[in-house]
Amino acid sequence: MDTSRYLDNSEEHQYDIARGQAAADSEQTIGIGVIDPPPPGPIIAQESARSQNWRAWYAALKAILPIYIATRLAFLTISCLAPLFTVKDFSPRAFHLNTLWHSWNHWDAEIFTTIARFGYTHYERAVFFPLYPLLERAATFVTGGDVILAGLLVSNLASLGLCIVLYRLVSEDFSAEQAERSVLYLALFPTAFFFASGYNEALFLFLALLCFYHTRHSHWWLAGLCGFLASLTRSAGILLALPFAYEYLRQRQFQLKAIRWNALAGVLIPGGVALYALWCYIQFHDPLAFSHGEVYWQRSLAFPGYGILHSMLNIHRSSGLLSFQALRNATDLIPDLLILLFVVLSFVGPWKLPRQLWVYGVYAAALYIFLQLFPKGGTGLYPLESVSRYILEVFPAFIIMAAAGKNKLFHLCYLMVSGAALFFLLTQFLTGHWVL
């Protein structure tokens, strides 16, 4: 919970004690002078607040640690067993031990490791924002130069951080029970294994949650800094300016005359994209290379819902419900629609957000719409490619989902179905199948 809510009573109590001690000490004399120590009450109160704050973060760590450890052990188990799907029965072949982490280096993870090693040597790779590969490169000093292992280290540490911040945020604004379920549901979402892979999803969500947390606590400059780093990780980070502005104005009853100079901290949030645009201009003579490069990856602007509609049509036009085309579209479509459902339920229905917490719904709606704007082109058969991964970033949907999780049937069905899909997709990913 927010420790500042308890300071008033504790300050008064601590100051009474300190005042009595000060009175006793003042009776002591040295020579002809009387020592009058300064009132220690405010200092003690500040120290107490810091202590309570650290205890709250430690409590959040203890609460999420079982979920984090259990999922990592499950991922390790799948990593050990997945090679069996690539060999015939009774094969004498043995895999090198580094297969346990090199099998995670597929698709975008391979591109990030290449950028970390050699930099941006190709124009189309500018769509991959720089903070994650920079941290990968830095982490090679810990991993002995193994950039693949460095990427896994960065992602898993960021994943631990995002779980802690999500728990702390939800426990303060909702309840500890809902916070734990939010972390659990996010950790078992079908594409949550990307938080443990060499992708930038974990880093982005960690920074976005930190920005959100500091925004809720009116730490405007810290929020701006975290938003700046988030927009250096993914272009979607620029959307964090929306909850920043909304919450800043809400705390001032939407009165423009109450705006102060600290509102300028919000300018830092799009600053990450602006800085990267400047670098793109220097490197490629195109400040929007990160956007123009999407053409190479067959993505272009479309109206929200285009991908959903065409994914449904492709399932209908497939050779059968159990065909590759139908099933792959379904694994993209169903998670997307599930998140959409809970974004809508944040505004209407039994779990709608109270007015003072609308900032969650505003951010969720804006981010969800943004993620639907760039469907996959090419053959047009799989327009929602990667969207089931992107929507991991819509964390308010998991908070509303956790509220619905009070229903035991929903809770168990989600854990079993989502968990099964998670470990199936992870096995596909580790064996080099088309899971992006």
Side-chain angles (χ1 to χ4, degrees):
M1 298 294 292
D2 188 355
T3 56
S4 64
R5 300 173 187 173
Y6 302 103
L7 287 182
D8 294 339
N9 291 334
S10 62
E11 281 187 31
E12 182 178 353
H13 176 66
Q14 290 161 353
Y15 186 74
D16 286 340
I17 295 174
R19 185 171 53 187
Q21 183 63 43
D25 291 343
S26 67
E27 294 176 2
Q28 300 177 3
T29 60
I30 299 178
I32 60 174
V34 178
I35 301 174
D36 293 322
I43 298 175
I44 294 175
Q46 291 176 5
E47 293 177 351
S48 176
R50 285 195 292 267
S51 177
Q52 289 182 36
N53 188 43
W54 281 113
R55 283 199 295 269
W57 284 114
Y58 180 64
L61 171 64
K62 289 199 300 181
I64 64 92
L65 202 56
I67 298 172
Y68 182 83
I69 292 174
T71 52
R72 267 53 196 175
L73 287 175
F75 292 164
L76 177 61
T77 301
I78 298 298
S79 298
C80 292
L81 298 177
L84 292 177
F85 289 95
T86 65
V87 297
K88 294 182 179 181
D89 292 343
F90 309 110
S91 171
R93 180 184 177 187
F95 293 89
H96 195 278
L97 187 62
N98 65 14
T99 302
L100 291 177
W101 58 91
H102 281 214
S103 60
W104 288 78
N105 193 42
H106 295 295
W107 309 109
D108 289 11
E110 190 172 7
I111 297 174
F112 277 121
T113 56
T114 301
I115 294 172
R117 293 176 63 194
F118 306 110
Y120 288 90
T121 56
H122 295 74
Y123 177 85
E124 65 273 8
R125 290 179 182 168
V127 303
F128 298 90
F129 273 53
L131 184 58
Y132 183 77
L134 282 173
L135 292 177
E136 274 189 310
R137 188 175 183 86
T140 58
F141 292 100
V142 178
T143 62
D146 191 328
V147 69
I148 299 174
L149 196 57
L152 297 178
L153 176 64
V154 171
S155 291
N156 281 277
L157 287 176
S159 182
L160 176 63
L162 76 87
C163 289
I164 294 171
V165 181
L166 178 60
Y167 181 92
R168 180 79 188 272
L169 185 66
V170 181
S171 63
E172 289 182 359
D173 282 340
F174 299 90
S175 69
E177 180 187 3
Q178 191 167 341
E180 186 171 355
R181 277 200 303 272
S182 298
V183 174
L184 178 62
Y185 288 177
L186 178 62
L188 287 180
F189 196 69
T191 52
F193 66 88
F194 283 108
F195 287 146
S197 70
Y199 281 60
N200 61 4
E201 262 67 31
L203 178 62
F204 174 77
L205 186 53
F206 172 54
L207 293 170
L209 282 164
L210 277 177
C211 177
F212 214 90
Y213 177 83
H214 289 302
T215 296
R216 289 287 294 152
H217 283 258
S218 307
H219 303 154
W220 306 115
W221 291 103
L222 284 174
L225 175 61
C226 293
F228 172 82
L229 294 174
S231 65
L232 266 179
T233 307
R234 293 186 67 88
S235 59
I238 200 170
L239 294 177
L240 288 165
L242 184 60
F244 180 98
Y246 179 90
E247 185 66 12
Y248 188 93
L249 291 172
R250 186 196 68 82
Q251 292 185 19
R252 288 155 179 77
Q253 290 76 47
F254 296 95
Q255 296 179 4
L256 296 181
K257 63 182 181 181
I259 295 176
R260 297 294 181 266
W261 62 272
N262 54 10
L264 293 174
V267 178
L268 289 174
I269 296 175
V273 174
L275 179 62
Y276 186 46
L278 176 62
W279 184 90
C280 286
Y281 177 77
I282 296 171
Q283 179 74 7
F284 300 113
H285 307 290
D286 180 4
L288 297 179
F290 59 86
S291 178
H292 297 158
E294 292 288 1
V295 174
Y296 177 86
W297 305 102
Q298 301 176 329
R299 293 190 181 275
S300 57
L301 184 65
F303 64 87
Y306 176 92
I308 292 174
L309 176 60
H310 281 262
S311 185
M312 291 178 176
L313 290 174
N314 290 332
I315 292 174
H316 176 70
R317 294 167 181 169
S318 68
S319 57
L321 289 178
L322 295 182
S323 65
F324 180 88
Q325 179 176 319
L327 291 173
R328 283 301 293 122
N329 272 284
T331 57
D332 293 328
L333 177 63
I334 293 174
D336 196 18
L337 291 178
L338 180 65
I339 295 300
L340 174 60
L341 171 64
F342 285 101
V343 171
V344 172
L345 288 174
S346 68
F347 294 103
V348 297
W351 307 295
K352 67 180 181 180
L353 295 166
R355 185 178 296 272
Q356 68 270 23
L357 296 178
W358 275 6
V359 64
Y360 287 93
V362 168
Y363 178 65
L367 180 57
Y368 182 86
I369 292 172
F370 177 80
L371 296 176
Q372 307 300 314
L373 293 178
F374 303 95
K376 179 75 171 181
T379 63
L381 294 178
Y382 308 98
L384 292 178
E385 177 187 298
S386 300
V387 172
S388 58
R389 165 168 58 92
Y390 299 154
I391 57 177
L392 287 167
E393 301 159 12
V394 190
F395 71 88
F398 293 94
I399 299 174
I400 306 302
M401 194 185 300
K406 289 183 178 180
N407 181 284
K408 186 176 182 179
L409 178 61
F410 173 83
H411 177 72
L412 292 175
C413 286
Y414 177 85
L415 294 182
M416 298 303 247
V417 176
S418 186
L422 167 62
F423 294 116
F424 166 74
L425 291 175
L426 174 56
T427 302
Q428 290 264 292
F429 178 80
L430 294 175
T431 52
H433 286 79
W434 190 56
V435 180
L436 292 92

